Amino acid sequence: MDTPETFIDFVRQQSGKLLEQTLTHTGLTFISVLIAVCIGVPAGILISRRKKLAGPVLGITGVLQTIPSIALLGFMIPLLGIGPKPAIVALFLYALLPVVRNTYTGILGVDPNITEAATGMGMNTRQLLLKVQLPLAMPVILAGIRTATVINVGVATLAAYIAAGGLGEFIFGGIALNNTNMMLAGAIPAALLAILFDWALSRLQRVNMRKARKIALVLPVILVLLSSFYLLPETYSSRLKAGFTPEFMGRKDGAVGLRNVYGLQLRTLVISDMIMYKAAYEKKLDVISGSSTDGRVKAFDLIVLKDDKHIFPPYYAAPVVRQAVLDKYPELAPALDQLSGTINDSIMTELNYRVDYLQQNPQQVARDFLVSAGLWQPARNGSKGNIRIGAKIFGDGYILANMYKMLIEGHTDLSATTKTGLGGTKIVFDALVNDQIDMYPEYTGTGLLVILQAPQTTVDSIIGDNRKVYDYVKKGFAEKYQVQWLQPIGFNNTYALMMRREQATRLHISSISDLATYVHHH
Amino acid sequence: MIKVSHVSKSFSHGKNAVNDLSFEVQPGETLVLLGTSGCGKTTTLRMINRLLIPDTGDIFIGDKNINTETPETLRRSMGYVLQNTGLFPHYTVLENIAVVPQLLGWDKTRIHSRALAILEKLRLPPATYGDVYPQQLSGGQQQRVGLARALAADPPILLMDEPFGALDPLTRISVRKEFKLLDELNSKTIILVTHDVEEAFELGNRICIMNEGRIQQLGSATELLFNPANDFVRHFLDKQRLELELKSLRLRDIWPYLDSAGGSTGTALPPDTSCWDTLEHLTGNKAGSILDGQNKHLDGNILITAINAYKKTVSQYGHA
Ligand SMILES: Nc1ncnc2c1ncn2[C@@H]1O[C@H](COP(=O)(O)OP(=O)(O)OP(=O)(O)O)[C@@H](O)[C@H]1O
Ligand SMILES: [Mg+2]
């Protein structure tokens, strides 16, 4: 197994990538700060002269600041697509308020006696601004730039969600893969960058009055220099563009396998699961790493490429329950196992489609299904105890958690509460072993590769056989964590490469091998 | 040189800060605007250099209405000393002084030598004070730099808003003395604002007493003292009346009332000596004075009697 043992090893091994991400991160931060300075300082000057505009301008920039960062990035996608452009614009919008506000207060904070003296000496408005107001407001303006920079170092981690790169790739990859070293390799440099820039700008802020005038000249040069770290990705090429989630990027059964087994070399961007499908639909991406039962596959008319060399391990879903809970409530396992064998891939895709795309309530979708399968019963008294059901933030989890709640309440005297949206595998699994939840639906493949981190040789020997994988994780979980795998539900939510149906048909691509051949020749 | 004609100014709230103000300042003259706080002195100055625009009325420099020039050109031709110095904290003393010459586009060496010269004249050795920042100076030093800055480009007109306001009474007197002796100021037309009566009498050729935005009286020291236009003027000067009278009356003014008996003994004082200085001299010495070949003996009694006689005549006939 080639997972590095220590943090240092990881950093050493990934140093190239780390450097690239750090530079990208710095560039992203400073390009946006630079633009914010170019627009924010003049805007601050303007509103310090036309005070009627001050309220609206500060109000609007203030409201922009309160939009949650991930939402702001989301808003940008329909307008600007994915990649650096929307990321820079979003970061710029965040940086705007501190820059505008501090320029405004800085200029208004200049002693009116001094501006009167300057005007009385015969300075015109421009001379007053350049010789008196800006130099005297400089420490306050710098404080604004400093705030903007620190905010942006933080927000720029989210740029990884929309394929703009930066240290967020490691951070979110690490969270998704339960790889602490990877997470830290992103988080620590990000924190260090924030501290470093904060310190450097605080030094600038404290230099004396004489130098304050020079800063006005030096600062833009520094900003431009740092911005240039972000070399904008090469212009349009005819090659296909792929977008993979941070999790997929780092997995042996993900991008690594594609490269090693299929020899697939794609121009790849890292992107959030949340916007990946839509980006493919909107032709911003051509190949994406989806999950085969996702509702959006149906919604956006994508097709799943056939994994003809079997690199994606089986991801059969089954409830995992703490042994202690099963022992305490023997009636629990039979109630849950009723779902086994009732949901295949296409049913699951359909259910997901109703929730994700038609925006139907997961509870309603779960209930409708149980009713049609004849499994639904009205809730009993629920007096015997409470089962806490967790679910990951994405995909099937919501619906399955709701089904289990209804099964438990309808078929036993237990009550159940759902705790959905527990982030990635690491978060929900930690919640389980730490007694925060009692059960959640998990996939066999994830158990094998992410949680048990089975040795490579073992993986290779069992990966082709669904049953063997199930047995392996069942045994491993029971021994290592005192957690039981119940019966698989029946569908296989495996990784899959997907393309737009129209494009795949046009290029005659139906399997990953076809894709590799196509890419090779173009 | 400066003519203010029926100027009024009100601010957004309330009554006029300046009300139908008219006066003229002759070339080379120092006119003092004197009045209580808030009577519109600063407002008047700021209208003269167009920091404020009068609601009604006109202001002329020479015979040109000030509105015919750009405000910048106008301001660069007038030195302006602010009530609270208004020095630029991010400029050194020398840089502060260089501001107006720079705006006027002087060349560097000329600016530098002029700045050094003016500092020297104001008794701030450039070696010690040239490169320090205003915050490092005492209040009195700052005011002198403020004055230096206003004088740097040698403007014909000087507007000074309480130039010694921030000083303690003692320093104030000595700075004032220096100020009077500055040759730089000899040929300048000056409007000086103060609310210190003594300062007004010492520095002004004529004094304009203001109250609530209106001129109460404009005239020479003796006119104000012995022929006040109204009760306000009278009361305004009452506190220091004796001292002011003694200081502004010269032997020449009271000559006709001096007892001519006796002839002179001791030092002969020039006829332009003020009564104040004469009295001071008389406390230890004998003195007399000679005017138009007439020789008169002086002592305390004779002097006071003459002054009283002078005042009586003036109040009866309106002049001596
Ligand atoms: N910018 C302004 N806005 C509103 N009112 C003003 C403004 N400037 C002056 N005033 C008002 O105009 C009146 C005259 O003010 P001004 O500054 O001319 O007084 P001043 O004679 O210089 O007083 P001081 O001796 O205290 O400096 C005051 O009542 C003052 O409140
Ligand atoms: Mg004033």
Side-chain angles (χ1 to χ4, degrees):
Chain A
M1 154 161 167
D2 57 358
T3 306
E5 294 298 324
T6 68
F7 176 64
I8 303 293
D9 286 338
F10 182 87
V11 169
R12 203 174 290 144
Q13 208 177 68
Q14 299 283 336
S15 60
K17 215 158 170 219
L18 184 61
L19 183 69
E20 181 203 312
Q21 289 187 9
T22 308
L23 291 184
T24 309
H25 205 92
T26 308
L28 265 183
T29 305
F30 280 100
I31 284 185
S32 49
V33 170
L34 182 68
I35 301 173
V37 169
C38 291
I39 293 176
V41 171
I45 293 167
L46 179 76
I47 61 174
S48 74
R49 290 184 186 169
R50 306 246 163 91
K51 303 226 171 47
K52 272 188 196 144
L53 292 177
V57 170
L58 291 175
I60 291 167
T61 48
V63 166
L64 286 175
Q65 190 104 57
T66 63
I67 301 174
S69 19
I70 192 75
L72 188 59
L73 287 171
F75 289 145
M76 290 296 141
I77 293 161
L79 301 174
L80 296 165
I82 55 169
K85 247 187 286 167
I88 289 170
V89 172
L91 288 172
F92 151 73
L93 291 177
Y94 274 114
L96 208 48
L97 177 67
V99 174
V100 175
R101 189 188 48 205
N102 281 39
T103 306
Y104 174 73
T105 48
I107 287 180
L108 289 194
V110 174
D111 182 351
N113 267 307
I114 290 167
T115 45
E116 164 149 349
T119 317
M121 307 274 99
M123 288 191 189
N124 58 32
T125 336
R126 196 177 52 87
Q127 290 163 331
L128 174 68
L129 179 72
L130 296 179
K131 287 171 184 270
V132 178
Q133 291 176 314
L134 282 184
L136 289 179
M138 191 53 73
V140 183
I141 297 176
L142 276 174
I145 296 176
R146 191 175 151 197
T147 312
T149 307
V150 173
I151 291 176
N152 275 9
V153 170
V155 179
T157 54
L158 296 176
Y161 273 146
I162 56 170
L167 290 162
E169 290 187 6
F170 272 162
I171 297 176
F172 297 115
I175 291 174
L177 291 169
N178 190 18
N179 182 337
T180 311
N181 289 335
M182 184 188 272
M183 210 167 69
L184 290 178
I188 291 176
L192 288 180
L193 280 185
I195 293 168
L196 176 75
F197 297 148
D198 190 46
W199 172 81
L201 286 167
S202 78
R203 289 296 303 249
L204 272 186
Q205 222 178 322
R206 265 188 274 118
V207 299
N208 69 29
M209 287 294 183
R210 185 187 290 274
K211 292 193 195 132
R213 274 175 283 166
K214 293 195 186 115
I215 293 173
L217 302 173
V218 176
L219 193 69
V221 180
I222 298 175
L223 288 183
V224 169
L225 212 72
L226 289 170
S227 305
S228 68
F229 284 152
Y230 197 78
L231 302 171
L232 293 169
E234 68 272 43
T235 44
Y236 182 72
S237 89
S238 67
R239 290 179 47 189
L240 298 178
K241 206 195 285 178
F244 296 159
T245 61
E247 177 162 7
F248 188 81
M249 283 302 283
R251 292 182 76 126
K252 289 190 281 286
D253 58 336
V256 182
L258 285 177
R259 206 165 41 238
N260 296 345
V261 178
Y262 285 97
L264 185 61
Q265 301 282 357
L266 278 169
R267 192 151 63 92
T268 306
L269 301 168
V270 178
I271 191 166
S272 157
D273 164 78
M274 281 177 276
I275 59 173
M276 182 174 61
Y277 295 90
K278 189 129 188 279
Y281 173 68
E282 286 169 349
K283 304 188 180 173
K284 304 284 189 328
L285 296 172
D286 303 304
V287 181
I288 59 170
S289 63
S291 65
S292 52
T293 60
D294 196 290
R296 288 166 294 189
V297 176
K298 183 175 155 78
F300 293 126
D301 198 20
L302 306 173
I303 60 154
V304 173
L305 301 186
K306 209 168 141 221
D307 177 21
D308 48 342
K309 292 185 182 167
H310 305 287
I311 61 160
F312 299 134
Y315 279 77
Y316 284 86
V320 293
V321 192
R322 280 188 297 114
Q323 186 63 53
V325 180
L326 291 176
D327 294 345
K328 191 167 170 196
Y329 308 117
E331 67 272 39
L332 185 59
L336 297 175
D337 280 340
Q338 292 178 94
L339 209 56
S340 175
T342 59
I343 305 178
N344 62 21
D345 289 9
S346 62
I347 294 177
M348 196 64 228
T349 306
E350 173 71 28
L351 296 177
N352 281 328
Y353 172 72
R354 286 174 59 184
V355 172
D356 294 342
Y357 200 73
L358 302 180
Q359 306 289 324
Q360 294 178 4
N361 186 341
Q363 264 162 294
Q364 189 59 45
V365 173
R367 188 170 187 272
D368 290 350
F369 173 78
L370 289 184
V371 169
S372 71
L375 291 172
W376 194 81
Q377 285 186 15
R380 293 204 224 155
N381 57 17
S383 58
K384 197 172 168 198
N386 183 45
I387 303 296
R388 296 160 299 174
I389 309 168
K392 293 183 204 178
I393 197 159
F394 35 70
D396 327 314
Y398 283 122
I399 303 171
L400 293 178
N402 280 301
M403 288 184 187
Y404 286 130
K405 177 175 155 72
M406 289 169 196
L407 287 176
I408 290 169
E409 292 182 340
H411 295 268
T412 72
D413 289 332
L414 296 162
S415 68
T417 46
T418 54
K419 290 191 172 189
T420 51
L422 282 174
T425 300
K426 179 175 171 51
I427 297 171
V428 72
F429 184 72
D430 283 351
L432 182 73
V433 293
N434 291 316
D435 197 10
Q436 304 291 307
I437 55 175
D438 299 311
M439 60 169 287
Y440 75 94
E442 184 54 284
Y443 304 105
T444 51
T446 310
L448 176 73
L449 298 165
V450 179
I451 295 172
L452 292 177
Q453 306 203 343
Q456 191 62 45
T457 46
T458 318
V459 172
D460 289 342
S461 67
I462 62 173
I463 197 93
D465 188 333
N466 163 33
R467 194 71 226 170
K468 282 185 184 156
V469 172
Y470 179 82
D471 291 341
Y472 183 88
V473 295
K474 188 174 173 65
K475 188 157 168 278
F477 269 55
E479 283 170 3
K480 233 172 156 175
Y481 303 112
Q482 289 75 52
V483 168
Q484 269 306 329
W485 282 78
L486 301 186
Q487 288 303 311
I489 299 163
F491 67 91
N492 180 14
N493 182 5
T494 184
Y495 274 120
L497 287 197
M498 317 176 177
M499 297 179 70
R500 287 184 300 283
R501 185 182 301 281
E502 166 275 319
Q503 188 184 36
T505 318
R506 184 161 44 83
L507 302 178
H508 306 293
I509 296 172
S510 65
S511 67
I512 300 179
S513 297
D514 294 346
L515 177 64
T517 318
Y518 175 85
V519 169
H520 194 69
H521 292 295
H522 287 85
Chain B
M1 187 78 184
I2 303 174
K3 184 177 168 202
V4 173
S5 169
H6 300 291
V7 164
S8 297
K9 173 78 190 174
S10 67
F11 293 101
S12 46
H13 57 86
K15 55 184 188 203
N16 282 4
V18 167
N19 212 333
D20 194 26
L21 200 71
S22 295
F23 61 78
E24 270 184 67
V25 192
Q26 301 309 319
E29 189 189 17
T30 301
L31 178 78
V32 173
L33 300 182
L34 175 65
T36 46
S37 187
C39 71
K41 306 181 295 290
T42 303
T43 306
T44 306
L45 278 198
R46 297 178 71 205
M47 287 192 289
I48 293 172
N49 67 8
R50 288 183 67 181
L51 287 171
L52 288 176
I53 297 163
D55 299 337
T56 57
D58 294 294
I59 298 172
F60 302 88
I61 303 289
D63 29 76
K64 261 172 57 187
N65 192 312
I66 56 168
N67 295 333
T68 54
E69 281 180 296
T70 64
E72 285 80 25
T73 324
L74 176 79
R75 289 169 192 152
R76 288 170 198 175
S77 71
M78 295 182 181
Y80 182 33
V81 182
L82 283 88
Q83 194 158 0
N84 325 336
T85 76
L87 293 176
F88 303 133
H90 59 306
Y91 282 4
T92 62
V93 166
L94 279 177
E95 287 168 335
N96 264 286
I97 295 173
V99 168
V100 182
Q102 257 169 8
L103 292 175
L104 290 171
W106 291 16
D107 67 65
K108 271 204 172 120
T109 46
R110 183 174 169 211
I111 294 176
H112 191 67
S113 60
R114 171 63 180 163
L116 293 182
I118 193 88
L119 268 188
E120 204 73 76
K121 266 190 195 148
L122 289 172
R123 305 213 291 122
L124 292 165
T128 323
Y129 295 107
D131 292 323
V132 304
Y133 286 89
Q135 310 87 288
Q136 295 164 273
L137 298 175
S138 76
Q141 289 166 334
Q142 287 183 12
Q143 291 203 314
R144 272 185 273 173
V145 176
L147 184 59
R149 183 174 66 174
L151 290 171
D154 202 13
I157 294 174
L158 206 53
L159 306 178
M160 300 204 278
D161 198 348
E162 308 207 13
F164 314 120
L167 305 181
D168 66 277
L170 275 183
T171 323
R172 203 164 167 147
I173 290 167
S174 73
V175 173
R176 218 148 65 197
K177 275 209 183 98
E178 284 171 32
F179 177 80
K180 273 209 296 195
L181 296 175
L182 270 181
D183 58 350
E184 284 280 338
L185 298 172
N186 278 343
S187 56
K188 297 209 186 302
T189 307
I190 299 174
I191 298 182
L192 185 144
V193 164
T194 182
H195 53 237
D196 180 327
V197 179
E198 206 178 317
E199 188 168 297
F201 278 72
E202 193 173 331
L203 299 179
N205 298 114
R206 286 188 304 148
I207 297 160
C208 174
I209 295 190
M210 294 175 64
N211 186 37
E212 296 189 336
R214 286 181 189 277
I215 295 183
Q216 302 299 317
Q217 188 171 6
L218 194 161
S220 67
T222 46
E223 281 168 349
L224 296 178
L225 280 169
F226 303 116
N227 209 354
N230 55 32
D231 283 347
F232 179 83
V233 176
R234 204 188 325 274
H235 288 136
F236 196 79
L237 304 176
D238 261 350
K239 256 208 173 132
Q240 294 122 303
R241 179 168 291 278
L242 181 60
E243 186 184 336
L244 294 173
E245 286 179 355
L246 291 174
K247 277 183 173 166
S248 51
L249 275 183
R250 292 161 302 165
L251 290 177
R252 181 194 293 281
D253 300 321
I254 56 167
W255 195 259
Y257 309 97
L258 285 170
D259 189 351
S260 57
S264 155
T265 48
T267 330
L269 297 172
D272 280 330
T273 314
S274 72
C275 293
W276 178 269
D277 290 341
T278 308
L279 269 182
E280 208 161 62
H281 188 82
L282 285 172
T283 46
N285 313 285
K286 292 189 170 173
S289 184
I290 305 167
L291 179 67
D292 299 335
Q294 209 185 358
N295 201 332
K296 289 191 176 179
H297 171 69
L298 296 171
D299 68 27
N301 274 337
I302 292 173
L303 208 62
I304 299 297
T305 317
I307 292 170
N308 283 336
Y310 171 89
K311 280 164 70 176
K312 203 167 171 190
T313 320
V314 173
S315 59
Q316 260 170 22
Y317 303 103
H319 57 85

